[in-house]
Amino acid sequence: MRNITVIKKKIKPFKKKIFVSGDKSLSIRWVLFSSLGSGISRAKNLLMSQDVLATIQTVKKLGIKVKFKNNFCYIYGKGINGFKVKKKTTINAKNSGTLGRLILGLLIHNTKPIKLIGDKSLSKRDFKRIVDPLTKFGATFKLKKNRLPLEMIGSKNLKPIFYNENRGSAQCKSAVIFAGMRTEGKTFIKAKKSRNHTELLSKYLGLPIKIKNEKYYDLIEIEKVKKMKPLNYVIPSDISSSAFFIVLTAITKNSELTIKNVNVNPSRIGLITILRKMGVKIIFKNKRLYKGENIANIFVRSPKKLKPINCPTYLNSGAIDEFLLIFLVAAKSYGVSYFKNLEELNQKESPRLKLGSKILNLMGVKTITTKNSIKIFGNPDLKINKRIIIKNFLKDHRIFMTSVVAALSFGSHWTIHDSSSINTSFPEFMKIIKKLHG
Ligand code: S3P
């Protein structure tokens, strides 16, 4: 298969209903929690992407049986102490920051050395943010320049910690919650708001966790877990994958879209709030609660005019995976948009603030970018009259998919490399694009 996608035609207005694949954050967490349950857990609609498969490979390596049958995934958990760590265990988190960081928390009580490796993109990402709190618990690490590969030796003598999570990183928060579950005594976390799936699943499972929600942060208290129940779960659709189609609708004239059964957890819907502020009509229909998560069908209609935004920073964490797309909306709006305190965006699968700005410039959109902010000079009448080639983006799946949305909406002749990058989070992406694009 050629690993390049060429798009030569703009998309026509559409009115469609679609389903999007399962939530990645929840799929990875389901695998990890279930692997520690006492008994068999079952999931429906588990996301079958490389990040989730890497998580399954990891628990298998730790001695846990996993089976697939008729749309269901079964995990045969051996209980909270059921992981078997062999002498020279290497875990390959591939492209997944979530797996790489969360698994270290779960293995912190294990005293055999564990090596953690990842692909080229993950090996460029910061692991100090995890190594620091886990070291305070009592683990020892070997790593160079705060990057993978690393080696961790856990401890039988863990001490609970107080952890101030001030980046708004759910991966850091979750890794510390998992380490706290392994540690005698009370671990306290003060966490800037970020996605809270780990907390919701812990609560649903009846684990010893207490959460107090303040306006800009949460206070979390976690104690040692003695036993975990199995976890049957129907994974809802991923809002971050839905985002590509929500934005494609928002920037395509006279278009409407319904996406069924999406996880609209309040900590994940920064994109929706931002788009509403920019004038996009978005309605949540058939809202319901499922095991602590909020689910809804999302209806989107494109507006006649898009307004620019001076984006409030409290929305950053809830939209962190969607900013590349939000930049496209800003590029199509009437006026100058401004996004700030976005240093975390350069810590993702690729430096997305830098590359997002570069793509806009290739399209002929003026930007002013610093190391943590971007000003985008929108132009609703923008015509691209040159060929655009997108390559060398560390195979970042979200750069690829955002470029496809840009090509379909802004037009011209686009050659987008590394099509297979979608396999990390959303292998079905091009199929759904074809459904809308015909
Ligand atoms: C994730 C947390 C976020 C997000 C990532 C998934 C998670 O990362 O960008 O795609 O499932 O916990 P950070 O915690 O680094 O912000």
Side-chain angles (χ1 to χ4, degrees):
M1 201 186 90
R2 258 170 58 120
N3 202 12
I4 294 177
T5 297
V6 176
I7 298 178
K8 301 179 201 165
K9 260 202 276 170
K10 264 194 185 180
I11 196 164
K12 295 202 185 75
F14 55 86
K15 289 194 175 147
K16 292 266 161 86
K17 276 193 183 128
I18 56 168
F19 275 102
V20 162
S21 322
D23 188 295
K24 179 155 73 100
S25 293
L26 277 173
S27 294
I28 292 174
R29 284 164 175 77
W30 176 78
V31 174
L32 295 176
F33 274 103
S34 300
S35 66
L36 297 174
S38 302
I40 305 172
S41 295
R42 190 187 66 212
K44 197 176 171 191
N45 200 36
L46 188 75
L47 173 68
M48 295 300 280
S49 80
Q50 274 169 5
D51 284 10
V52 182
L53 293 175
T55 313
I56 290 176
Q57 284 309 326
T58 299
V59 300
K60 277 182 154 177
K61 216 170 209 184
L62 298 170
I64 305 298
K65 188 168 127 194
V66 182
K67 256 173 64 178
F68 292 94
K69 207 177 162 194
N70 309 329
N71 249 339
F72 288 97
C73 176
Y74 296 88
I75 292 194
Y76 296 69
K78 290 188 184 161
I80 193 78
N81 294 315
F83 285 164
K84 291 268 167 306
V85 181
K86 293 202 183 119
K87 243 189 185 163
K88 281 189 178 159
T89 297
T90 298
I91 290 172
N92 188 348
K94 299 195 174 158
N95 191 249
S96 177
T98 306
L99 168 60
R101 287 160 178 160
L102 269 55
I103 196 69
L104 293 177
L106 275 186
L107 290 172
I108 195 167
H109 62 309
N110 154 77
T111 48
K112 291 194 187 113
I114 290 188
K115 194 168 174 194
L116 178 66
I117 60 171
D119 71 1
K120 193 171 162 193
S121 152
L122 193 62
S123 305
K124 286 185 187 293
R125 296 176 70 183
D126 170 41
F127 270 73
K128 181 171 163 39
R129 56 180 61 200
I130 293 294
V131 165
D132 283 349
L134 298 186
T135 303
K136 270 178 85 186
F137 275 101
T140 348
F141 288 87
K142 272 193 216 149
L143 76 169
K144 282 193 198 128
K145 294 191 179 152
N146 301 319
R147 304 280 183 265
L148 297 188
L150 66 70
E151 190 183 274
M152 177 175 86
I153 302 178
S155 163
K156 291 266 170 269
N157 228 330
L158 297 168
K159 300 265 177 304
I161 67 166
F162 170 80
Y163 175 54
N164 187 6
E165 197 298 300
N166 53 17
R167 292 185 172 88
S169 162
Q171 292 174 358
C172 293
K173 173 178 69 178
S174 301
V176 172
I177 292 176
F178 281 152
M181 285 184 190
R182 299 291 198 194
T183 305
E184 212 64 68
K186 287 183 182 168
T187 292
F188 292 98
I189 306 171
K190 179 179 175 191
K192 192 167 160 186
K193 295 274 181 197
S194 63
R195 66 190 69 192
N196 63 349
H197 308 302
T198 306
E199 296 93 299
L200 293 180
L201 286 172
S202 301
K203 270 209 141 165
Y204 175 74
L205 287 166
L207 305 183
I209 189 165
K210 285 187 196 149
I211 299 146
K212 197 163 167 238
N213 303 115
E214 302 289 347
K215 191 161 178 208
Y216 295 116
Y217 57 87
D218 295 326
L219 296 172
I220 303 166
E221 192 185 303
I222 177 91
E223 288 183 62
K224 187 162 180 165
V225 172
K226 304 264 158 25
K227 200 173 169 179
M228 188 110 78
K229 289 189 285 197
L231 176 61
N232 291 337
Y233 211 91
V234 182
I235 313 278
S237 297
D238 195 320
I239 182 109
S240 299
S241 298
S242 305
F244 298 98
F245 308 107
I246 295 174
V247 165
L248 184 60
T249 310
I251 59 179
T252 305
K253 288 233 153 70
N254 300 317
S255 294
E256 283 179 13
L257 185 70
T258 298
I259 312 176
K260 296 251 183 96
N261 206 43
V262 185
N263 181 3
V264 291
N265 177 320
S267 65
R268 293 281 298 275
I269 56 169
L271 168 77
I272 306 293
T273 313
I274 291 170
L275 290 184
R276 282 181 177 150
K277 284 180 189 288
M278 298 178 88
V280 184
K281 174 127 191 140
I282 303 180
I283 307 171
F284 289 164
K285 295 184 174 173
N286 189 15
K287 281 196 255 176
R288 54 219 181 264
L289 251 185
Y290 176 74
K291 302 192 176 180
E293 293 285 352
N294 290 267
I295 317 284
N297 300 342
I298 301 182
F299 171 81
V300 196
R301 181 184 295 138
S302 54
K304 293 229 157 44
K305 235 178 154 179
L306 284 161
K307 293 185 272 184
I309 187 169
N310 181 357
C311 189
T313 54
Y314 74 88
L315 293 171
N316 286 358
S317 164
I320 197 66
D321 290 340
E322 284 69 70
F323 273 101
L324 290 168
L325 286 162
I326 293 166
F327 296 165
L328 293 184
V329 187
K332 265 228 160 143
S333 72
Y334 278 86
V336 183
S337 294
Y338 184 44
F339 305 90
K340 54 190 177 299
N341 294 8
L342 272 181
E343 51 282 348
E344 275 298 296
L345 215 51
N346 279 333
Q347 301 291 334
K348 298 294 173 191
E349 286 85 329
S350 72
R352 287 187 185 149
L353 182 58
K354 261 196 222 162
L355 293 183
S357 167
K358 209 167 146 190
I359 294 172
L360 292 180
N361 298 157
L362 279 178
M363 290 163 55
V365 180
K366 183 179 161 195
T367 58
I368 300 176
T369 312
T370 69
K371 61 180 192 311
N372 67 356
S373 75
I374 182 166
K375 245 185 207 162
I376 299 172
F377 295 74
N379 174 7
D381 304 316
L382 180 76
K383 298 259 173 318
I384 306 177
N385 42 27
K386 58 169 194 190
R387 289 182 171 228
I388 300 215
I389 299 171
I390 306 291
K391 62 181 197 184
N392 300 333
F393 50 89
L394 280 165
K395 299 186 170 63
D396 180 346
H397 52 131
R398 295 195 204 283
I399 295 261
F400 175 84
M401 293 186 277
T402 302
S403 303
V404 169
V405 171
L408 290 172
S409 160
F410 289 84
S412 184
H413 185 293
W414 290 61
T415 307
I416 312 167
H417 287 246
D418 292 319
S419 316
S420 62
S421 58
I422 59 175
N423 292 334
T424 64
S425 71
F426 194 7
E428 304 275 292
F429 173 73
M430 283 311 281
K431 266 191 218 150
I432 305 177
I433 286 289
K434 287 196 180 113
K435 204 174 150 187
L436 300 180
H437 190 36

